[in-house]
Amino acid sequence: MVDLPSELNDLPRDLNHLPRDVFSRIAKEICPYDNPQQAAVNLANLKATNHEILGKFPESAIGNFEARLSRIGALQSSLASKTLPEFPESDEKFVTLQVPAIQPILKFYELSAQTSIVDHALQCDGTWHRTIAATVLSTNLNELHDPADRGRLINQALNSFRVDDPNIRTAAGTALVRADGHLDADQQAHLTESFHRNPESEQLYNQLKADQQLWYHEQRVQLPSADLDRSINIIAGEVERIPVGFSSPEQRNTAHIVAKSIAECYNCAHNELMNFDRSRVRSTLGR
């Protein structure tokens, strides 16, 4: 069931009189930004509370968000079934095609599915494959529902950062730069020790850190329309055109871009929900 904030537990018995701002606060509390799947589950549980709550969904900001979340979730599910229907026998295909394609929508996966992806990534043969997978998934550290999965990816990057191969070290360094702020005390000590053992690795890390600022800027997504619902419709057509079981970098890139658009739709819908009351207050004050 929904775990409501303590101050919201004393709700009036007649929920027809539940203040709109309180209902809005409940909705915001149970819709995590980095976990759309949990947001959908929590909203379903909230609707199941009783008929009065259910009646408040239509024509409301939370009802609009739920409808969009349902459509966006369906797009993610469809894209995921095409890009990663099952784990391949080829580690090369998994880390260079499939993982980059689904990376932007990883936060839509439930915890067990995320763990399976991380498991498969870290069980690949060869340090290069494991490092590339960790580098790609390093952009999702905030979105991993199990902290243990985040820790395992960081540990792989730390170990790879000590390898003599410059390509592996650079990829691992990129992952560690993206993991900045996520390292625990032991991992930070491990990284510092790497710097002491090899001063050139610290220079590489600092250069990669500077390069990441430009990379993050380039990752910004522009939806196909200023109207969010129209964007969702357009993206639905793009998902439909993606083939099942793609096998080329070009198809991977197309799927990746569509996946980024799906994630951005959710982000925009969530931001709109969070800002609903504020925009209404501004509108009232402006009259």
Side-chain angles (χ1 to χ4, degrees), residues 2-224:
V2 179
D3 183 16
L4 298 178
S6 58
E7 69 270 18
L8 299 179
N9 285 331
D10 297 326
L11 299 178
R13 291 181 179 275
D14 183 358
L15 293 178
N16 282 315
H17 299 297
L18 182 67
R20 182 176 292 273
D21 62 331
V22 174
F23 180 68
S24 176
R25 286 178 59 202
I26 294 173
K28 292 178 181 182
E29 288 284 348
I30 64 175
C31 293
Y33 181 79
D34 289 326
N35 197 333
Q37 193 265 347
Q38 190 60 51
V41 170
N42 289 346
L43 288 175
N45 287 340
L46 180 62
K47 288 176 67 174
T49 303
N50 63 33
H51 291 297
E52 285 77 12
I53 285 286
L54 180 62
K56 288 184 177 290
F57 270 72
E59 305 302 325
S60 69
I62 186 60
N64 190 35
F65 172 75
E66 185 199 34
R68 286 171 168 173
L69 176 57
S70 178
R71 297 178 63 203
I72 295 167
L75 293 181
Q76 180 273 335
S77 180
S78 177
L79 181 62
S81 68
K82 290 183 172 185
T83 55
L84 187 59
E86 58 186 14
F87 294 133
E89 294 183 4
S90 167
D91 290 342
E92 184 76 20
K93 180 177 181 180
F94 179 68
V95 301
T96 64
L97 295 180
Q98 292 180 304
V99 173
I102 60 95
Q103 172 269 315
I105 52 175
L106 189 67
K107 71 179 179 180
F108 287 83
Y109 284 79
E110 61 183 16
L111 186 152
S112 61
Q114 287 187 347
T115 296
S116 294
I117 291 172
V118 174
D119 283 345
H120 198 75
L122 298 182
Q123 290 168 3
C124 287
D125 290 331
T127 303
W128 171 247
H129 288 136
R130 294 194 298 273
T131 305
I132 289 300
T135 303
V136 173
L137 294 174
S138 64
T139 61
N140 299 98
L141 296 179
N142 280 326
E143 302 164 352
L144 291 170
H145 310 320
D146 187 346
D149 291 335
R150 178 165 55 246
R152 291 191 295 145
L153 289 170
I154 293 173
N155 287 337
Q156 175 62 60
L158 285 168
N159 292 333
S160 296
F161 195 54
R162 290 189 171 187
V163 174
D164 287 335
D165 187 312
N167 292 324
I168 291 178
R169 184 181 295 168
T170 298
T174 299
L176 292 173
V177 165
R178 294 173 184 171
D180 187 38
H182 291 288
L183 277 66
D184 61 27
D186 289 341
Q187 291 167 334
Q188 187 61 57
H190 191 151
L191 179 60
T192 300
E193 184 184 351
S194 295
F195 293 157
H196 289 160
R197 290 178 58 181
N198 183 356
E200 290 184 2
S201 67
E202 185 171 11
Q203 296 174 12
L204 172 63
Y205 179 88
N206 290 333
Q207 181 58 54
L208 292 170
K209 195 168 187 177
D211 293 342
Q212 278 300 295
Q213 298 303 316
L214 176 60
W215 183 85
Y216 280 126
H217 180 77
E218 293 173 344
Q219 295 305 301
R220 294 178 180 175
V221 178
Q222 183 170 355
L223 294 178

